[in-house]
Amino acid sequence: QQNVQQSPESLIVPEGARTSLNCTFSDSASQYFWWYRQHSGKAPKALMSIFSNGEKEEGRFTIHLNKASLHFSLHIRDSQPSDSALYLCAVGNMGYKLTFGTGTSLLVDP
Amino acid sequence: DMKVTQMPRYLIKRMGENVLLECGQDMSHETMYWYRQDPGLGLQLIYISYDVDSNSEGDIPKGYRVSRKKREHFSLILDSAKTNQTSVYFCASSLLQGEQYFGPGTRLTVL
């Protein structure tokens, strides 16, 4: 059974800071790696995904994936108050099931 | 506009009553999901549906059943609800292994 862990549990950063969120997984056969963002009282919404080792950048957001170390991360450049949310990582392999982590709660202090 | 809807948004039931949560999507996605979200536990998969009448248990199916008779509609049923089923329930849909689109959630309280 896939085990997905996130760190830290919560984080407070000043506006404009670079933020790093971490996710580890247990199944080395995992193929799909997602970050979802959930604002308070709202539905989770996909932020970014990566399917092969390396780095992917979209605007202020960058994903790093290292399958050998069973780790991927999300980096936010120039953090904004609107980035304050619960960030959920998710991992999938064959089939359509995703296993979600328990989340990192991010607060960006203006 | 791609959309997943859920009804009702809020529901209060007494222990032992039956509960029906409904989900719809307008994207013709084959795959649909039911999750529950509890503080500190993240999103836990209850059931996954690959198409009409093609459903599989997720990680926590006990106490729940599902029904999918039309591709755009997926129901979650709690027969004789229990207090530990108080939670926020999310429905989602996806195209193959693509992005999962989530509904707004149903906050269920079982007294």
Side-chain angles (χ1 to χ4, degrees):
Chain A
Q1 174 121 354
Q2 176 83 267
N3 183 24
V4 178
Q5 299 289 328
Q6 290 188 240
S7 64
E9 284 188 14
S10 63
L11 192 57
I12 302 174
V13 301
E15 184 175 353
R18 174 181 164 89
T19 301
S20 295
L21 310 177
N22 298 294
C23 188
T24 60
F25 53 97
S26 60
D27 185 354
S28 58
S30 299
Q31 298 180 333
Y32 310 100
F33 306 87
W34 290 85
W35 284 97
Y36 282 74
R37 183 166 72 178
Q38 184 179 23
H39 287 106
S40 182
K42 301 296 185 181
K45 183 171 172 55
L47 196 56
M48 287 183 73
S49 62
I50 191 166
F51 301 144
S52 57
N53 264 343
E55 178 180 303
K56 179 179 177 182
E57 181 178 334
E58 291 182 2
R60 296 185 294 110
F61 299 90
T62 303
I63 293 184
H64 288 275
L65 171 62
N66 184 330
K67 285 188 179 181
S69 61
L70 304 176
H71 176 266
F72 67 112
S73 56
L74 177 70
H75 305 274
I76 307 173
R77 176 172 48 85
D78 187 24
S79 299
Q80 299 297 307
S82 58
D83 294 328
S84 297
L86 181 69
Y87 288 78
L88 298 161
C89 67
V91 181
N93 49 22
M94 294 296 292
Y96 306 150
K97 176 186 167 183
L98 287 179
T99 301
F100 285 83
T102 54
T104 293
S105 179
L106 172 65
L107 178 63
V108 181
D109 198 6
Chain B
D1 192 24
M2 296 179 288
K3 199 170 182 180
V4 178
T5 58
Q6 289 186 238
M7 290 293 289
R9 294 292 315 279
Y10 302 90
L11 188 61
I12 300 175
K13 288 285 193 177
R14 295 195 180 277
M15 193 169 58
E17 292 184 329
N18 297 332
V19 177
L20 173 64
L21 304 184
E22 306 203 73
C23 175
Q25 51 101 356
D26 62 2
M27 296 167 278
S28 298
H29 286 167
E30 292 177 342
T31 310
M32 296 186 74
Y33 314 78
W34 276 107
Y35 294 90
R36 64 178 282 176
Q37 186 175 37
D38 302 288
L41 294 179
L43 285 164
Q44 297 177 276
L45 180 65
I46 305 171
Y47 268 93
I48 181 172
S49 175
Y50 297 102
D51 211 331
V52 172
D53 284 329
S54 180
N55 307 317
S56 289
E57 294 181 346
D59 298 320
I60 52 163
K62 187 177 179 182
Y64 304 94
R65 61 184 175 93
V66 293
S67 175
R68 191 162 179 210
K69 298 300 182 184
K70 294 182 179 180
R71 179 171 283 188
E72 64 270 19
H73 191 253
F74 191 31
S75 300
L76 180 69
I77 301 119
L78 288 67
D79 295 314
S80 187
K82 300 173 180 52
T83 55
N84 61 8
Q85 292 178 309
T86 292
S87 187
V88 179
Y89 290 86
F90 285 101
C91 173
S93 72
S94 73
L95 183 63
L96 303 178
Q97 287 99 345
E99 175 182 350
Q100 291 190 16
Y101 294 85
F102 284 81
T106 294
R107 184 173 294 275
L108 172 66
T109 302
V110 182
L111 301 175

